[in-house]
Amino acid sequence: MDQSDVAGDLADILLTEEQLGSRLDEMAAQIDADYAGKDLLLVGVLKGAVMVMADLSRRLHHPVSMDWMAVSSYGSGTKSSGVVRILKDLDTDLSGRNVLIAEDIIDSGLTLSWLVQNLRSRGPESVEIATMLRKPDAAKVEVDVKYVGFDIPNEFVVGYGLDYAEKYRNLPFIGTLAPHVYA
Ligand code: 5GP
Ligand code: MG
């Protein structure tokens, strides 16, 4: 899927497929170095992190296991509250494991800070976060993100796993929507 398939829906392309790819190369190299000689379990947060998980994991030389979680964050409108419900839990026992959470985007950071605490309570060796995107509000919450693809402005973005009303997830780049799409 590319820009011509969503004609007129996008206001702007924020990050191209090439930009995402070369940043993922760097992140993968860093992760390979940091986890050398250690076991590594990648945990993807459905549904948004599917693309990051697929593209990041294929760039790693390190052997990994992969598992998935689905969570829903209660909130008013588009803002999350930090009250989180697990819709699909991991199949994997985390005791002694090095866990790396793969995420699409951190906005308020509330969902992820809850998730990190939840996973840490299961006896892993370590829990870290890799996110493709991070918004400015994430700085307000106490969540330590080890790997960040790009810091982006406080705008609603779609593509590369991120949706608006379940659309645009299969765009290979990150863009902003034209105002008429929301209308
Ligand atoms: P928070 O960090 O606020 O707890 O929640 C992050 C979640 O909100 C993300 O996983 C994503 O589902 C959603 N989200 C936050 N910002 C955006 C955005 O700009 N675009 C899209 N499509 N989803 C977003
Ligand atoms: Mg997400």
Side-chain angles (χ1 to χ4, degrees), residues 73 78-80 103-112 135 152 155-158 162-164:
S73 168
T78 56
K79 281 284 160 207
S80 66
E103 257 289 24
D104 46 3
I105 192 166
I106 305 180
D107 183 6
S108 73
L110 290 170
T111 309
L112 216 45
K135 287 189 179 176
I152 62 164
E155 285 181 286
F156 190 82
V157 293
V158 295
L162 291 158
D163 74 308
Y164 173 67

Side-chain angles (χ1 to χ4, degrees), residues 11-141:
D12 205 9
I13 295 182
L14 207 62
L15 294 161
T16 64
E17 188 171 1
E18 291 70 29
Q19 286 175 303
L20 295 172
S22 48
R23 186 69 188 112
L24 283 168
D25 286 340
E26 296 171 351
M27 292 166 79
Q30 186 70 58
I31 292 165
D32 272 331
D34 292 350
Y35 289 90
K38 293 181 184 167
D39 111 276
L40 177 57
L41 170 67
L42 296 180
V43 169
V45 186
L46 295 169
K47 305 167 195 173
V50 167
M51 305 296 174
V52 185
M53 186 78 152
D55 288 345
L56 182 64
S57 64
R58 282 181 293 178
R59 282 171 164 81
L60 293 172
H61 293 281
H62 203 82
V64 293
S65 322
M66 294 187 211
D67 204 347
W68 299 91
M69 271 184 99
V71 297
S72 97
S73 168
Y74 291 110
S76 53
T78 56
K79 281 284 160 207
S80 66
S81 61
V83 182
V84 178
R85 187 162 58 106
I86 296 178
L87 303 177
K88 186 231 168 282
D89 207 341
L90 299 173
D91 301 321
T92 313
D93 176 3
L94 296 190
S95 8
R97 305 297 303 269
N98 293 295
V99 177
L100 180 60
I101 301 172
E103 257 289 24
D104 46 3
I105 192 166
I106 305 180
D107 183 6
S108 73
L110 290 170
T111 309
L112 216 45
S113 98
W114 181 91
L115 190 60
V116 167
Q117 277 187 48
N118 181 286
L119 299 189
R120 287 215 167 113
S121 74
R122 305 182 192 194
E125 175 73 24
S126 65
V127 179
E128 301 291 351
I129 300 164
T131 186
M132 194 71 242
L133 306 174
R134 181 172 61 184
K135 287 189 179 176
D137 280 350
K140 291 183 199 157
V141 85

